[in-house]
Amino acid sequence: MRQSLQAVRGMMDILPDEVEKWRFIEERARNLFRRFGYREIRTPLLEATELFARSIGEATDIVEKEMYTFYDAKGRSISLRPEATASIIRAFIQHQLHTTGDRKFFLLGPMFRHERPQKGRYRQFHQIDVEAFGIQDPMLDAELMFMARSFLDEIGVKEVSLEVNTLGCSVCRPGFRTVLQDYLNANVDHLCPDCVRRIPKNPLRCFDCKVPQCKEALAEAPLLINFLCQKCLSHFESVKSYLEQLSVPYVVNPRMVRGLDYYVRTAFEIVTTHLGAQNAVGGGGRYDGLMKDLGGPDLPGIGFALGIERIMLLMSGYQPSRENDVDVYLVLLGDSARRKGFQIAQELRKKGLSVEMDYDPKSVKSQMRSADRVGATVSVIIGDNELEQSIAQVRFMKEGIQRIYELSDMAAELVDIIKGAK
Ligand code: HAM
């Protein structure tokens, strides 16, 4: 026997029962972001590898080992997008969107990272990503965090907390880097090989190491928050005060570093204790300077992304809507009635009703059972007798009432009754 084919490891099917919940999340996101002035954008799943290397950073886990990268027929290196920020900036630059006045965007869609799959961590996963360009004011930083929190509240995700940090800028970070490197070099015997390797290229990442020995070694490490330049300090103070004004609860986590290199100043994560090792529901921050580095105008930027699969695991109290209910089930007996019913089905659908029928000839009893199973509002019974008299028996399933309708005006009447009741 041939082995049956399976989905690629770490990539999940989303089956019809779950799709409703996905759409609920997506629709709530669209609705909320619109109120804050964000417009939807969609970019290709594939981009030049260089785009991610230049933005996320060569020395990050994502670029070093997690991207799905391959060469196309012309020998160009392309990658499945591991995140959306770089792609949105690329699109913004390519289409000169700064000339249009559009500066706030969101994107919903799949991302790809070759990580070890586990609960809440997949190789194809979906993000709700939000980006805003050209706004330097810390008011926006706070507003974005407020928006992310509001969204999670609206869809019933509770028990998350917001952690905020600042990662400095090109003025204050280089000095801190040297201080940190000195500290790490002095403690090198207590660090794991990965952290030792990170010292010259990406020392801040050591704060994110999960190895207990490294955590201990970093307990006394210097913190960037104590080395900020005046501008970064005042930006951070303003962000915090705006968060307080909007009553957004947060904690400052001075050890939080993000897994992407482009951040400056504000960085934040929304975390939970309910997802085991995958504690981040979302994360984001400022990346002033990135657009210019990628060849675009010198506009500041800030954004965040939430992981939809992780949100789904945390959603409580979601009631699926019943939008896929069947309005009419056609119970047809005999060839002529089936032929007529086939035509009636299309007429009713054109008028906006959802209609089901058994395509294969079956007994009335079995067809009525199907009507019950799908929760049809009415079943329309047509056999040879009915056809001869141009009528149909219409059974209102919940009420258990049966009435006779003329075929000529049945469609209009059913539309009135069913749509009127909705
Ligand atoms: P990120 O922290 O790498 O940030 O990812 C954001 C969120 O995507 C995570 O908090 C998590 O919920 C979800 N996520 C990441 N990897 C996986 C995975 N393997 N499986 C399931 N969910 C995952 C970014 O991607 C930045 N682009 C966010 C951003 C936007 N910063 C500024 N603008």
Side-chain angles (χ1 to χ4, degrees):
M1 203 172 69
R2 283 206 192 156
Q3 214 184 345
S4 64
L5 293 171
Q6 303 277 315
V8 173
R9 183 164 141 81
M11 308 207 175
M12 295 196 306
D13 297 310
I14 303 167
L15 302 177
D17 272 353
E18 302 156 66
V19 167
E20 267 190 25
K21 197 166 169 185
W22 280 77
R23 283 186 34 196
F24 168 79
I25 294 174
E26 291 164 357
E27 276 157 24
R28 284 298 173 95
R30 287 195 174 96
N31 182 294
L32 182 86
F33 299 162
R34 185 187 53 78
R35 283 180 261 155
F36 286 80
Y38 290 78
R39 299 185 70 204
E40 185 164 357
I41 185 168
R42 301 183 191 193
T43 63
L45 302 192
L46 287 171
E47 297 276 358
T49 304
E50 189 192 349
L51 172 67
F52 302 118
R54 279 172 56 186
S55 53
I56 300 170
E58 298 270 11
T60 56
D61 284 354
I62 297 179
V63 171
E64 264 185 356
K65 46 191 187 200
E66 293 171 3
M67 285 207 298
Y68 283 86
T69 295
F70 56 95
Y71 292 94
D72 71 4
K74 289 261 168 67
R76 288 172 292 229
S77 178
I78 48 182
S79 297
L80 278 168
R81 65 182 183 198
E83 59 116 46
T85 313
S87 305
I88 297 176
I89 297 177
R90 197 260 319 127
F92 185 89
I93 299 171
Q94 182 175 335
H95 303 285
Q96 304 193 344
L97 293 184
H98 63 282
T99 61
T100 65
D102 268 342
R103 53 186 189 165
K104 290 164 146 189
F105 305 90
F106 70 92
L107 179 149
L108 309 174
M111 311 292 154
F112 303 84
R113 295 184 194 175
H114 196 274
E115 297 186 81
R116 205 166 50 77
Q118 53 176 251
K119 184 181 171 197
R121 190 167 70 194
Y122 313 100
R123 290 180 174 171
Q124 174 175 317
F125 60 98
H126 296 73
Q127 282 186 347
I128 299 177
D129 183 275
V130 174
E131 312 292 346
F133 306 130
I135 304 160
Q136 185 72 71
D137 200 285
M139 205 177 258
L140 179 66
D141 306 30
E143 188 179 82
L144 271 181
M145 291 182 237
F146 173 78
M147 185 169 92
R149 281 302 305 245
S150 308
F151 173 66
L152 293 173
D153 276 350
E154 279 199 11
I155 59 167
V157 173
K158 301 191 178 74
E159 306 193 56
V160 289
S161 56
L162 172 66
E163 297 192 347
V164 191
N165 193 17
T166 172
L167 296 175
C169 66
S170 56
V171 173
C172 48
R173 196 154 58 194
F176 168 73
R177 234 174 99 103
T178 315
V179 174
L180 181 63
Q181 281 167 330
D182 289 347
Y183 175 88
L184 294 170
N185 281 322
N187 288 277
V188 75
D189 295 345
H190 306 290
L191 298 177
C192 74
D194 269 347
C195 280
V196 174
R197 203 171 45 83
R198 285 173 184 135
I199 300 176
K201 280 204 217 154
N202 209 344
L204 266 81
R205 291 292 304 153
C206 295
F207 281 110
D208 222 15
C209 185
K210 303 281 184 287
V211 177
Q213 211 186 329
C214 294
K215 280 192 169 170
E216 217 172 281
L218 272 113
E220 303 285 309
L223 297 172
L224 177 50
I225 211 160
N226 300 321
F227 290 78
L228 295 176
C229 63
Q230 196 46 48
K231 279 190 174 161
C232 285
L233 190 62
S234 100
H235 190 93
F236 193 46
E237 289 306 319
S238 304
V239 171
K240 289 190 292 180
S241 101
Y242 285 128
L243 284 174
E244 279 147 33
Q245 188 189 351
L246 297 180
S247 305
V248 179
Y250 69 91
V251 288
V252 174
N253 176 359
R255 293 169 174 275
M256 184 230 295
V257 284
R258 303 268 302 125
L260 308 93
D261 278 354
Y262 46 60
Y263 294 109
V264 294
R265 295 197 175 149
T266 312
F268 59 96
E269 281 187 348
I270 297 173
V271 295
T272 175
T273 50
H274 294 263
L275 286 180
Q278 306 315 312
N279 68 339
V281 179
R286 252 190 194 278
Y287 45 82
D288 305 346
L290 179 59
M291 179 143 354
K292 184 161 171 260
D293 287 348
L294 291 176
D298 187 8
L299 295 177
I302 181 168
F304 69 83
L306 301 167
I308 300 189
E309 286 80 357
R310 293 189 190 172
I311 289 175
M312 301 260 298
L313 289 168
L314 295 174
M315 266 168 76
S316 57
Y318 167 76
Q319 293 290 335
S321 69
R322 302 183 61 85
E323 63 184 27
N324 284 335
D325 271 3
V326 174
D327 296 318
V328 179
Y329 202 98
L330 296 175
V331 175
L332 308 165
L333 201 68
D335 280 348
S336 323
R338 279 180 0 96
R339 186 168 257 281
K340 181 71 181 168
F342 178 55
Q343 183 195 341
I344 292 173
Q346 320 316 332
E347 280 167 23
L348 291 174
R349 287 170 178 152
K350 259 195 187 157
K351 290 187 188 299
L353 298 183
S354 71
V355 183
E356 264 301 351
M357 60 182 268
D358 270 310
Y359 293 86
D360 314 316
K362 296 230 173 80
S363 71
V364 169
K365 204 167 152 197
S366 134
Q367 294 183 62
M368 287 303 285
R369 259 204 310 270
S370 304
D372 242 354
R373 187 174 42 79
V374 299
T377 309
V378 301
S379 52
V380 170
I381 305 151
I382 308 175
D384 287 342
N385 276 348
E386 283 81 9
L387 207 55
E388 243 168 52
Q389 302 171 53
S390 288
I391 57 163
Q393 313 263 0
V394 175
R395 185 173 177 80
F396 294 82
M397 303 293 283
K398 220 172 27 201
E399 296 80 2
I401 304 168
Q402 200 151 311
R403 280 203 207 122
I404 293 174
Y405 282 82
E406 300 276 337
L407 279 186
S408 53
D409 47 36
M410 180 183 74
E413 295 208 32
L414 285 183
V415 169
D416 274 356
I417 294 170
I418 292 171
K419 285 200 171 165
K422 277 190 177 170

